[in-house]
């Protein structure tokens, strides 16, 4: 947390569809340096640790701070000092110089403004903007699809001063670039190309996950002895797609998350360079987990 207290999130406190053995692996959803909104559930004052919740039902309920002192024990002087320092900090932020980057894609936007600006732009278009994390960070927002935007935290290293752009730009601790142009081309545009490839595939469904699963159900009812799978976008987690499948008429609907990364698709922590490899990889992975028949039914050698 900003105050220096370590926050922990139990497996049961993630949003729907994350964790608890049935959803996305939290390490696939959240990345290093990402800012996430959470709710304080419990504070251990001795250990300086906090229990947090990411569940939407908890975030909608305001936190009510319990009375943690007895009568005549409140430190009035400390309260006055805290208020004075809070006002000073607010004034400093208001007077802080707005960072400006000399780049054609830079805009002095926050996240909401960036999404509004990109709303009328094409898929894969980008905005570079200031980061709320400080002068050694930049934020990059790009349009994944209509109403779906991914915000990328960029850590700047080897800076000449606080206003210059770092000579080394790192994303998620594992991607490193020497300048903004390289980052845009080799990271953002490389992922946008994979999104285009996914959405142009014959197995892609443009509807929601519910609509895709209904299509699979209808297909397997019409073809009881066949299995089928399809892809659709996950609008809640930009950069992710659902791989939905049904191994026959009486089998349960299931889905695996597919993550778009630069120049590849990631499924079950395996990277695949194109859609053909991804689909064949899925069939092999499913077969290895016990679904021996699905690979043959889906045509494993055809890449379809």
């Amino acid at each position: 947390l900003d105050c220096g207290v370590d926050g922990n999130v139990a497996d049961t406190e993630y949003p729907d569809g994350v964790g608890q053995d049935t959803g996305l692996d939290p390490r696939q959803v959240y990345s290093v340096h990402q800012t996430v909104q959470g709710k304080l559930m419990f504070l251990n004052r001795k250990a300086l640790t906090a229990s947090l919740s990411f569940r939407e039902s908890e975030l909608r309920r305001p936190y009510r701070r319990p009375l943690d002192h007895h009568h005549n024990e409140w430190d009035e002087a400390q309260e006055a000092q805290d208020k004075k320092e809070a006002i000073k900090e607010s004034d400093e932020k208001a007077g802080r110089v707005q960072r400006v980057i000399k780049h054609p894609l830079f805009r002095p936007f926050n996240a909401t403004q960036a999404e509004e600006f990109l709303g009328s732009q094409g898929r894969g278009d980008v905005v570079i903007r200031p980061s709320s994390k400080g002068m050694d960070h930049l934020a990059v927002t790009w349009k994944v699809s209509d109403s779906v935007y991914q915000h990328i935290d960029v850590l700047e290293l080897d800076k000449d001063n606080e206003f210059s752009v770092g000579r080394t730009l790192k994303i998620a601790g594992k991607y490193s670039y020497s300048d903004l142009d390289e980052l845009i081309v080799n990271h953002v545009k490389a992922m946008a190309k994979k999104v285009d490839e996914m959405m142009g595939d014959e197995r892609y469904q443009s509807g929601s996950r519910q609509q895709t699963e209904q299509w699979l159900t209808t297909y397997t009812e019409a073809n009881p002895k066949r299995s089928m799978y399809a892809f659709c976008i996950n609008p809640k987690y930009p950069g992710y797609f659902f791989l939905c499948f049904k191994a026959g008429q009486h089998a349960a609907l299931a889905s695996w998350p597919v993550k778009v990364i630069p120049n590849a698709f990631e499924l079950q922590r395996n990277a695949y360079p194109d859609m053909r490899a991804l689909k064949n990889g899925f069939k092999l992975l499913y077969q290895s987990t016990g679904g021996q028949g699905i690979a043959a039914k889906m045509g494993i050698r055809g890449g379809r």
Side-chain angles (χ1 to χ4, degrees), residues 30 55 75-76 86 123 149 152 156 186 201 237 251 268:
Y30 305 109
R55 288 191 291 143
D75 191 336
E76 302 289 349
R123 196 162 63 212
Y149 308 91
I152 302 173
E156 302 174 74
N186 293 337
D201 191 84
Y237 298 103
Q268 302 290 314

Side-chain angles (χ1 to χ4, degrees), residues 63-226:
Y63 173 71
R64 296 184 180 277
R65 182 173 180 176
L67 190 66
D68 58 358
H69 61 280
H70 299 290
H71 184 63
N72 293 330
E73 287 188 0
W74 190 251
D75 191 336
E76 302 289 349
Q78 185 62 51
E79 180 184 19
Q81 181 64 26
D82 290 344
K83 288 181 177 179
K84 184 177 179 180
E85 291 179 358
I87 293 173
K88 180 181 178 181
E89 182 180 356
S90 178
D91 291 342
E92 288 177 351
K93 287 183 178 180
R96 189 172 295 162
V97 177
Q98 178 67 55
R99 188 177 182 186
V100 177
I101 303 297
K102 291 183 179 180
H103 192 280
L105 297 179
F106 179 82
R107 298 288 187 278
F109 293 160
N110 58 29
T112 301
Q113 292 170 327
E115 292 182 2
E116 291 174 351
F117 175 80
L118 291 170
S120 59
Q121 307 295 315
R123 196 162 63 212
D125 282 351
V126 185
V127 164
I128 302 169
R129 57 186 181 83
S131 172
S132 60
K133 293 188 175 182
M135 301 296 279
D136 59 345
H137 287 260
L138 284 171
V140 173
T141 300
W142 69 283
K143 185 174 182 178
V144 180
S145 185
D146 290 338
S147 302
V148 181
Y149 308 91
Q150 186 177 60
H151 303 282
I152 302 173
D153 175 51
V154 180
L155 175 64
E156 302 174 74
L157 302 174
D158 303 325
K159 292 167 65 75
D160 288 333
N161 56 67
E162 64 176 349
F163 297 103
S164 64
V165 178
R167 295 187 182 90
T168 301
L169 307 175
K170 296 189 74 69
I171 296 177
K174 58 182 178 179
Y175 300 104
S176 183
Y177 304 100
S178 60
D179 57 44
L180 289 170
D181 289 331
E182 183 188 13
L183 184 150
I184 296 300
V185 172
N186 293 337
H187 195 91
V188 179
K189 294 298 183 181
M191 289 194 294
K193 184 177 180 181
K194 289 298 155 187
V195 172
D196 288 340
E197 185 180 345
M198 168 70 77
M199 291 185 166
D201 191 84
E202 62 180 352
R203 293 292 191 196
Y204 181 75
Q205 295 284 319
S206 59
S208 65
R209 177 181 178 179
Q210 183 178 6
Q211 291 171 322
T212 301
E213 291 179 341
Q214 181 58 54
W215 179 84
L216 290 173
T217 300
T218 301
Y219 179 90
T220 52
E221 287 176 350
N223 303 273
K225 296 182 179 180
R226 288 187 61 84

